[in-house]
């Protein structure tokens, strides 16, 4: 099925470990974003991209890196995991910057111990 | 920058009751407005949208009208079902040349049989 695919669905990391959350979409969307969801705080934007080779920081970028080498893929890297990064992470993509809404993946639940 | 304020929950209703979730926004220009729904254990799904003033978005019995004069986009449904139990997020993008999607904190709705 067409959509946004995130892997893994669950992950437990030790403090200081690094990892990459994968995100892929097959809808040829130019716009892609990473959000984290924490209780009572809604979704906060980590990084976003408006096309291959173009990325920028969102509201809470510290501790995360991204790259966009292809239209389809937008991985999120945690450089040195901290307990404050325990959260649910969502990747999303859109055809248009404003009018079409975003399609979301099913999320990655990350726990840092 | 853009911001969204939505009614705090949780909200608990009986089946067939009327649901309203208030949402107000701050933005310059003419943003697009969205309601997303998140069912337990899933990612967010676009419920409805409106892209200009006085537009009414509707889907699955839910409605919301883009009111520029009151900067509001309240979500309503006339008769809720148990299957409407979910977290609802108001969001906006655009306006002020800020095309990133900004979310409210989310409202948890529980419908009891």
């Amino acid at each position: 099925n067409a959509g946004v695919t995130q892997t893994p669905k669950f992950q437990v990391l030790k403090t200081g470990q690094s990892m990459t959350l994968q995100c892929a979409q097959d809808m040829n969307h130019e716009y892609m974003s990473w959000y984290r969801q924490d209780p009572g705080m809604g979704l906060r934007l980590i990084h976003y991209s408006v096309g291959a080779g173009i990325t920028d920081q969102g509201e809470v970028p510290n501790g995360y890196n991204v790259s966009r080498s292809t239209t389809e893929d937008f991985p999120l890297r945690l450089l040195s995991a901290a307990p404050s990064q325990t959260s649910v992470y969502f990747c999303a993509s859109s055809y248009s910057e404003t009018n079409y809404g975003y399609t979301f993946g099913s999320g990655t639940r990350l726990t840092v111990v | 920058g853009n911001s969204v304020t939505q009614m705090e929950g949780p909200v608990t209703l009986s089946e067939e009751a009327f649901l309203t979730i208030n949402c107000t926004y701050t933005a310059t220009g003419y943003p697009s407005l969205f309601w997303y729904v998140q069912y337990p254990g899933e990612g967010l799904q676009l419920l409805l949208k409106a892209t200009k003033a006085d537009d009414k978005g509707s889907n699955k019995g839910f409605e919301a009208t883009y009111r520029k004069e009151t900067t509001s986009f309240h979500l309503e449904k006339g008769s809720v079902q148990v299957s409407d139990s979910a977290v609802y997020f108001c969001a906006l993008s655009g306006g002020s040349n800020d095309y990133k999607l900004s979310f409210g904190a989310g409202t948890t709705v529980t419908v009891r049989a």
Side-chain angles (χ1 to χ4, degrees), chain B residues 2-8 21-26 35 71-74 90-92 102-107:
Chain B
N2 296 341
S3 67
V4 177
T5 302
Q6 68 178 96
M7 172 178 145
E8 291 189 17
I21 304 176
N22 290 340
C23 172
T24 57
Y25 68 89
T26 300
W35 277 100
T71 63
S72 65
F73 192 54
H74 305 322
C90 186
L92 70 80
S102 298
F103 285 89
T107 302

Side-chain angles (χ1 to χ4, degrees), chain B residues 19-111:
Chain B
L19 171 67
T20 298
I21 304 176
N22 290 340
C23 172
T24 57
Y25 68 89
T26 300
T28 57
Y30 299 90
S32 295
L33 302 173
F34 306 89
W35 277 100
Y36 284 84
V37 59
Q38 183 180 33
Y39 299 104
E42 298 183 10
L44 278 72
Q45 301 174 24
L46 179 63
L47 181 60
L48 54 83
K49 66 177 182 180
T51 59
K52 60 182 187 293
D54 299 324
D55 266 2
K56 177 185 284 188
S58 61
N59 186 26
K60 300 182 180 181
F62 290 89
E63 293 182 341
T65 301
Y66 187 162
R67 302 286 189 199
K68 189 161 178 63
E69 63 276 14
T70 54
T71 63
S72 65
F73 192 54
H74 305 322
L75 183 68
E76 296 181 337
K77 185 173 185 182
S79 178
V80 294
Q81 305 300 314
V82 172
S83 57
D84 294 323
S85 298
V87 183
Y88 294 83
F89 293 93
C90 186
L92 70 80
S93 69
S96 308
N97 295 317
D98 184 357
Y99 52 83
K100 299 183 293 296
L101 192 61
S102 298
F103 285 89
T107 302
T108 299
V109 173
T110 301
V111 181

